[in-house]
Amino acid sequence: VQLQASGGGLVQPGGSLRLSCAASGFTFSSYSMGWFRQVPGKEREFVASISWTGGNTYYVNSKKGRFTISRDNAKNTMSLQMNSLKPEDTAVYYCAAGSTNTRASEYSYWGQGTLVTVSS
């Protein structure tokens, strides 16, 4: 099982980034997926999740309207479009498979993370 997150980088406040997660080694289309983020010294926190069909999406309240999660089961990929980025969005972003829950413990597989830095 492999989850490869990519797309992170340095962006100015107000800018946008699109994160991608490429999955392999399991039946991606049968798994709900999620994005989490973590800053040093803090717990990993839920950002968004999407059901295995893509028909249901969930967001932490503070990200609604700025972040959009999506998936392409034909390509075994998931994405997180992040707009109007703020310095407080700076974190390592992880993709995970196995749930739509907000709790990280509910997910079975994790990617290695991609760093997003929002700074002028």
Side-chain angles (χ1 to χ4, degrees):
V1 172
Q2 188 170 15
L3 294 172
Q4 184 74 35
S6 61
L10 174 64
V11 62
Q12 292 187 341
S16 299
L17 277 177
R18 186 176 182 86
L19 306 184
S20 295
C21 178
S24 61
F26 66 103
T27 307
F28 177 77
S29 59
S30 297
Y31 279 73
S32 296
M33 300 289 295
W35 286 99
F36 286 74
R37 70 184 192 184
Q38 189 170 24
V39 297
K42 293 190 176 181
E43 291 188 357
R44 196 165 293 189
E45 66 173 359
F46 174 80
V47 175
S49 62
I50 186 166
S51 62
W52 60 278
T53 64
N56 293 296
T57 57
Y58 308 91
Y59 299 89
V60 64
N61 284 340
S62 60
K63 305 301 181 290
K64 284 183 180 178
R66 294 197 299 125
F67 291 8
T68 303
I69 190 171
S70 61
R71 66 189 295 161
D72 185 339
N73 284 347
K75 296 182 179 180
N76 286 0
T77 59
M78 175 181 66
S79 296
L80 183 70
Q81 177 67 41
M82 304 187 295
N83 299 326
S84 302
L85 284 163
K86 304 174 181 180
E88 52 264 42
D89 293 319
T90 296
V92 177
Y93 284 71
Y94 296 90
C95 57
S99 180
T100 55
N101 203 285
T102 60
R103 291 176 294 185
S105 60
E106 296 295 319
Y107 291 75
S108 302
Y109 308 126
W110 290 86
Q112 87 291 354
T114 185
L115 176 63
V116 172
T117 304
V118 184
S119 175
S120 55

